[in-house]
Amino acid sequence: MSTESRPQIDPKVLHKLFCAASTYRDRAYAPYSHFNDSNMSSVGAALLTTTGEIIGGCNIENAAYSPGICAERTAIAKAVSEGIKTFTAVAVTSSIPSPSTTPCGVCRQVLREFLPPHIPIYMLSSTYPSSSEMPPDWLVRQDWKSEEATKVVDVESMESLLPKAFGPSHLDLPRDP
Ligand SMILES: [Zn+2]
Protein backbone atom coordinates (compact mmCIF):
# COMPACT_ATOMS: atom_id res chain seq x y z
CA MET A 1 0.00 0.00 0.00
CA SER A 2 1.42 3.40 -0.89
CA THR A 3 2.02 5.75 2.00
CA GLU A 4 0.47 8.63 0.00
CA SER A 5 -3.01 7.16 0.18
CA ARG A 6 -2.78 6.06 3.80
CA PRO A 7 -5.00 8.12 6.09
CA GLN A 8 -3.08 9.85 8.87
CA ILE A 9 -3.99 8.40 12.23
CA ASP A 10 -2.51 9.76 15.47
CA PRO A 11 0.44 7.53 16.52
CA LYS A 12 -0.92 7.32 20.08
CA VAL A 13 -4.24 6.04 18.75
CA LEU A 14 -2.46 3.53 16.52
CA HIS A 15 -0.34 2.34 19.46
CA LYS A 16 -3.53 1.82 21.46
CA LEU A 17 -5.02 -0.12 18.55
CA PHE A 18 -1.91 -2.30 18.19
CA CYS A 19 -1.78 -2.97 21.94
CA ALA A 20 -5.47 -3.90 21.91
CA ALA A 21 -4.81 -6.49 19.20
CA SER A 22 -2.15 -8.04 21.48
CA THR A 23 -4.50 -8.01 24.47
CA TYR A 24 -7.19 -9.81 22.47
CA ARG A 25 -4.64 -12.27 21.10
CA ASP A 26 -3.83 -13.25 24.68
CA ARG A 27 -7.51 -14.13 25.16
CA ALA A 28 -7.60 -16.52 22.20
CA TYR A 29 -9.14 -19.92 22.70
CA ALA A 30 -6.89 -21.96 20.45
CA PRO A 31 -6.02 -25.37 21.91
CA TYR A 32 -6.18 -27.31 18.62
CA SER A 33 -4.35 -25.73 15.71
CA HIS A 34 -0.77 -25.21 17.02
CA PHE A 35 0.06 -23.38 13.78
CA ASN A 36 3.06 -21.72 15.35
CA ASP A 37 4.48 -25.09 16.50
CA SER A 38 6.07 -23.67 19.62
CA ASN A 39 2.87 -22.06 20.76
CA MET A 40 -0.86 -22.12 20.34
CA SER A 41 -2.30 -20.40 17.31
CA SER A 42 -3.48 -17.29 19.07
CA VAL A 43 -4.70 -14.40 16.96
CA GLY A 44 -6.03 -11.02 18.02
CA ALA A 45 -7.72 -8.34 15.95
CA ALA A 46 -8.71 -4.78 16.79
CA LEU A 47 -10.96 -2.42 14.84
CA LEU A 48 -10.69 1.36 15.13
CA THR A 49 -14.16 2.83 14.69
CA THR A 50 -14.90 6.19 13.07
CA THR A 51 -15.80 7.51 16.53
CA GLY A 52 -12.40 6.50 17.94
CA GLU A 53 -13.54 3.41 19.81
CA ILE A 54 -11.51 0.22 19.69
CA ILE A 55 -13.33 -3.10 19.40
CA GLY A 56 -11.31 -6.30 19.48
CA GLY A 57 -11.71 -10.00 19.06
CA CYS A 58 -9.75 -13.24 19.32
CA ASN A 59 -9.91 -16.53 17.51
CA ILE A 60 -12.15 -19.13 19.12
CA GLU A 61 -11.44 -22.70 18.07
CA ASN A 62 -13.76 -25.63 18.55
CA ALA A 63 -13.29 -29.36 19.11
CA ALA A 64 -15.42 -29.95 16.01
CA TYR A 65 -13.04 -27.62 14.07
CA SER A 66 -15.38 -26.00 11.53
CA PRO A 67 -17.43 -24.00 14.08
CA GLY A 68 -14.26 -22.08 14.98
CA ILE A 69 -14.10 -18.36 14.22
CA CYS A 70 -11.17 -16.08 13.45
CA ALA A 71 -10.26 -12.99 15.48
CA GLU A 72 -11.22 -10.57 12.70
CA ARG A 73 -14.74 -11.97 12.37
CA THR A 74 -15.17 -12.07 16.16
CA ALA A 75 -14.33 -8.35 16.25
CA ILE A 76 -16.68 -7.52 13.36
CA ALA A 77 -19.51 -9.53 14.96
CA LYS A 78 -19.00 -7.70 18.26
CA ALA A 79 -18.99 -4.28 16.59
CA VAL A 80 -21.93 -4.81 14.25
CA SER A 81 -24.05 -6.34 16.99
CA GLU A 82 -23.41 -3.19 19.04
CA GLY A 83 -24.63 -1.06 16.13
CA ILE A 84 -21.15 -0.03 14.89
CA LYS A 85 -20.46 -0.48 11.20
CA THR A 86 -17.89 2.18 10.24
CA PHE A 87 -14.17 1.74 10.77
CA THR A 88 -10.95 3.58 9.99
CA ALA A 89 -8.27 0.92 10.64
CA VAL A 90 -7.74 -2.73 11.51
CA ALA A 91 -4.86 -4.38 13.35
CA VAL A 92 -4.14 -8.11 13.44
CA THR A 93 -1.50 -9.93 15.48
CA SER A 94 -0.63 -13.49 16.43
CA SER A 95 1.98 -15.52 18.29
CA ILE A 96 4.33 -15.29 15.31
CA PRO A 97 7.38 -13.04 15.83
CA SER A 98 7.19 -11.50 12.36
CA PRO A 99 4.50 -9.28 10.82
CA SER A 100 3.14 -12.05 8.63
CA THR A 101 -0.31 -12.93 9.93
CA THR A 102 -2.70 -11.70 7.25
CA PRO A 103 -6.46 -12.10 7.45
CA CYS A 104 -7.67 -15.35 5.85
CA GLY A 105 -9.82 -15.27 2.72
CA VAL A 106 -13.10 -15.61 4.59
CA CYS A 107 -12.20 -12.73 6.92
CA ARG A 108 -11.13 -10.54 3.99
CA GLN A 109 -14.59 -10.96 2.47
CA VAL A 110 -16.30 -10.22 5.79
CA LEU A 111 -14.12 -7.14 6.38
CA ARG A 112 -14.85 -5.99 2.81
CA GLU A 113 -18.54 -5.78 3.66
CA PHE A 114 -17.82 -2.89 6.05
CA LEU A 115 -14.41 -1.46 5.12
CA PRO A 116 -13.83 1.10 2.35
CA PRO A 117 -11.01 0.10 -0.06
CA HIS A 118 -8.39 2.49 1.37
CA ILE A 119 -8.72 1.42 5.02
CA PRO A 120 -5.31 0.35 6.37
CA ILE A 121 -4.91 -3.17 7.70
CA TYR A 122 -1.88 -3.45 9.99
CA MET A 123 -0.33 -6.87 10.49
CA LEU A 124 1.82 -6.94 13.60
CA SER A 125 4.45 -9.30 14.90
CA SER A 126 4.18 -10.75 18.40
CA THR A 127 7.24 -8.64 19.23
CA TYR A 128 5.44 -5.31 18.86
CA PRO A 129 6.17 -3.46 22.16
CA SER A 130 2.62 -3.67 23.47
CA SER A 131 3.72 -3.46 27.11
CA SER A 132 5.02 0.07 26.55
CA GLU A 133 2.72 2.96 27.41
CA MET A 134 4.21 5.13 24.69
CA PRO A 135 4.32 4.41 20.96
CA PRO A 136 7.76 3.42 19.63
CA ASP A 137 9.82 6.25 18.10
CA TRP A 138 9.33 5.08 14.52
CA LEU A 139 5.57 5.19 15.02
CA VAL A 140 5.72 8.71 16.41
CA ARG A 141 7.73 9.66 13.30
CA GLN A 142 5.37 7.54 11.11
CA ASP A 143 8.53 6.10 9.59
CA TRP A 144 6.91 2.92 8.28
CA LYS A 145 9.86 2.01 6.09
CA SER A 146 12.44 2.09 8.90
CA GLU A 147 14.14 -1.15 9.90
CA GLU A 148 12.50 -1.13 13.34
CA ALA A 149 9.07 -0.66 11.79
CA THR A 150 9.35 -3.35 9.12
CA LYS A 151 10.40 -5.90 11.75
CA VAL A 152 7.13 -5.51 13.62
CA VAL A 153 4.47 -4.22 11.23
CA ASP A 154 3.33 -4.67 7.66
CA VAL A 155 0.57 -2.49 6.23
CA GLU A 156 -1.86 -3.29 3.48
CA SER A 157 -5.26 -1.92 2.55
CA MET A 158 -8.59 -3.62 2.12
CA GLU A 159 -8.17 -3.14 -1.61
CA SER A 160 -4.67 -4.63 -1.77
CA LEU A 161 -5.68 -7.66 0.31
CA LEU A 162 -8.83 -8.31 -1.68
CA PRO A 163 -8.60 -6.74 -5.14
CA LYS A 164 -11.65 -6.73 -7.40
CA ALA A 165 -13.68 -7.82 -4.39
CA PHE A 166 -17.31 -8.82 -4.64
CA GLY A 167 -19.19 -6.31 -2.51
CA PRO A 168 -22.60 -4.85 -1.75
CA SER A 169 -22.60 -2.75 -4.95
CA HIS A 170 -22.55 -5.89 -7.08
CA LEU A 171 -26.07 -6.68 -5.94
CA ASP A 172 -27.28 -3.47 -7.62
CA LEU A 173 -25.84 -4.28 -11.04
CA PRO A 174 -28.40 -4.56 -13.84
CA ARG A 175 -29.44 -8.09 -14.79
CA ASP A 176 -30.75 -9.68 -17.94
CA PRO A 177 -34.49 -9.12 -18.10
ZN1 LIG B 1 -10.04 -15.53 9.12
Side-chain angles (χ1 to χ4, degrees), residues 46-115:
L47 306 166
L48 181 63
T49 74
T50 48
T51 55
E53 249 184 285
I54 291 173
I55 298 178
C58 61
N59 59 323
I60 305 168
E61 293 185 353
N62 188 277
Y65 288 90
S66 63
I69 185 169
C70 301
E72 299 90 324
R73 279 178 287 143
T74 301
I76 286 280
K78 283 176 64 185
V80 175
S81 56
E82 294 299 330
I84 299 162
K85 295 192 274 295
T86 52
F87 309 99
T88 53
V90 180
V92 181
T93 191
S94 75
S95 326
I96 297 175
S98 66
S100 51
T101 303
T102 63
C104 78
V106 175
C107 287
R108 290 178 199 203
Q109 186 65 44
V110 170
L111 290 167
R112 167 65 186 84
E113 188 72 19
F114 301 100
L115 266 49

Side-chain angles (χ1 to χ4, degrees), residues 126-149:
S126 62
T127 53
Y128 181 82
S130 53
S131 55
S132 165
E133 285 205 4
M134 296 303 290
D137 289 344
W138 62 261
L139 184 52
V140 174
R141 298 193 310 269
Q142 302 261 2
D143 188 2
W144 298 91
K145 292 200 182 345
S146 67
E147 205 188 323
E148 309 104 285

